[in-house]
Amino acid sequence: MRKGNPIVVSAASGTGKTSLCRRLLQTLSHTARSISYTTRIRRGEEVDGRDYHFVDDGQFDRMIEQGEFVEWAQVYTRRYGTGWRSVQQQLDEGLDVLLDIDVQGGLQIRDKLPNAVLIFLLPPSMAELRRRLENRAEDTAEAIQMRLAKARAEIRQSRSYDYLVVNDDFDQAELDLRAIIRAHHIGRNVPAALVSELLES
Ligand code: 5GP
């Protein structure tokens, strides 16, 4: 059976990554979401084991020591990590695995899982990103300044990603993401045996 591909989607907060990932999971077949571990507190409607595995610092430390993470990173004041076992299992089942993780994590995935495709979502402009963050009305003015500074740092690192997609229009961004994922499939999954066969005949 063919193995699945890891698909990393990263973006600065406010770029629309969560909604786009949700849409992709609804519309792409053979694609599963990776459920991360985090030390942050559960928010509102979030469910443990569905949105994240919520763990304490001690448990996170133990998982690091035992090599249970493919990647992990500190994001703001909390830690987030992707578990080896579940991702490997999903890939072995032939599922593509969507990883909604930050840039630090994305770059670790590139080293550990070389068949991953790394996609970074960009906002159309910093002014638009600021407007979206202000409209969400989740953060204080100070927190918005902090998010914008972090966005700049992340956008700088996005140059190491395979693809950049601008989320100006949601539907267009979804189409672009689907096209990249499809192309990645076609490009990576030609059976090596066929190439040998063609060369030998
Ligand atoms: P939030 O706390 O808003 O759910 O997520 C904050 C940030 O952490 C987002 O950019 C999200 O993509 C990132 N994140 C979530 N899970 C992981 C993970 O397992 N590893 C890394 N490196 N980042 C993650």
Side-chain angles (χ1 to χ4, degrees):
M1 201 213 294
R2 80 157 190 94
K3 279 204 176 194
N5 294 314
I7 303 162
V8 173
V9 180
S10 302
S13 72
T15 310
K17 177 179 58 160
T18 310
S19 315
L20 272 167
C21 285
R22 205 173 290 141
R23 173 75 71 85
L24 283 179
L25 285 164
Q26 284 164 355
T27 54
L28 287 173
S29 54
H30 304 296
T31 308
R33 183 174 154 265
S34 160
I35 302 169
S36 297
Y37 291 81
T38 183
T39 60
R40 85 150 161 75
I41 304 295
R42 197 172 61 80
R43 290 186 199 131
E45 303 284 292
E46 287 178 336
V47 175
D48 187 24
R50 184 193 69 187
D51 299 291
Y52 280 106
H53 299 290
F54 295 96
V55 296
D56 61 25
D57 274 307
Q59 213 171 325
F60 204 93
D61 285 338
R62 272 194 299 282
M63 291 185 74
I64 294 173
E65 273 164 32
Q66 287 165 10
E68 291 187 33
F69 291 124
V70 196
E71 64 75 32
W72 72 269
Q74 175 141 351
V75 183
Y76 301 109
T77 56
R78 301 296 181 177
R79 290 183 292 173
Y80 296 79
T82 304
W84 258 121
R85 204 176 317 138
S86 57
V87 167
Q88 207 58 64
Q89 195 175 326
Q90 288 165 320
L91 294 173
D92 288 347
E93 282 169 16
L95 294 170
D96 285 345
V97 182
L98 190 67
L99 298 122
D100 166 349
I101 62 178
D102 87 326
V103 183
Q104 308 169 73
L107 297 176
Q108 294 172 58
I109 292 285
R110 138 137 333 132
D111 291 340
K112 305 257 183 73
L113 301 169
N115 64 332
V117 59
L118 272 64
I119 308 170
F120 193 91
L121 287 172
L122 290 165
S125 66
M126 285 315 267
E128 175 61 17
L129 184 62
R130 177 188 290 276
R131 200 185 60 77
R132 288 182 194 172
L133 288 172
E134 285 168 355
N135 282 355
R136 285 203 317 202
E138 278 176 13
D139 297 307
T140 59
E142 195 184 32
I144 288 179
Q145 270 319 112
M146 202 179 82
R147 285 192 190 278
L148 287 172
K150 184 159 189 294
R152 277 195 193 88
E154 286 183 310
I155 290 168
R156 204 165 291 127
Q157 284 181 288
S158 72
R159 294 199 180 109
S160 316
Y161 270 46
D162 299 314
Y163 297 97
L164 303 180
V165 170
V166 181
N167 185 15
D168 192 0
D169 175 86
F170 186 87
D171 292 331
Q172 185 59 50
E174 186 205 351
L175 285 175
D176 292 348
L177 285 167
R178 290 171 66 96
I180 290 167
I181 295 166
R182 176 89 188 114
H184 190 69
H185 258 284
I186 298 169
R188 300 279 170 131
N189 291 321
V190 173
L194 174 61
V195 176
S196 313
E197 206 181 293
L198 290 169
L199 292 173
E200 281 160 19
S201 57

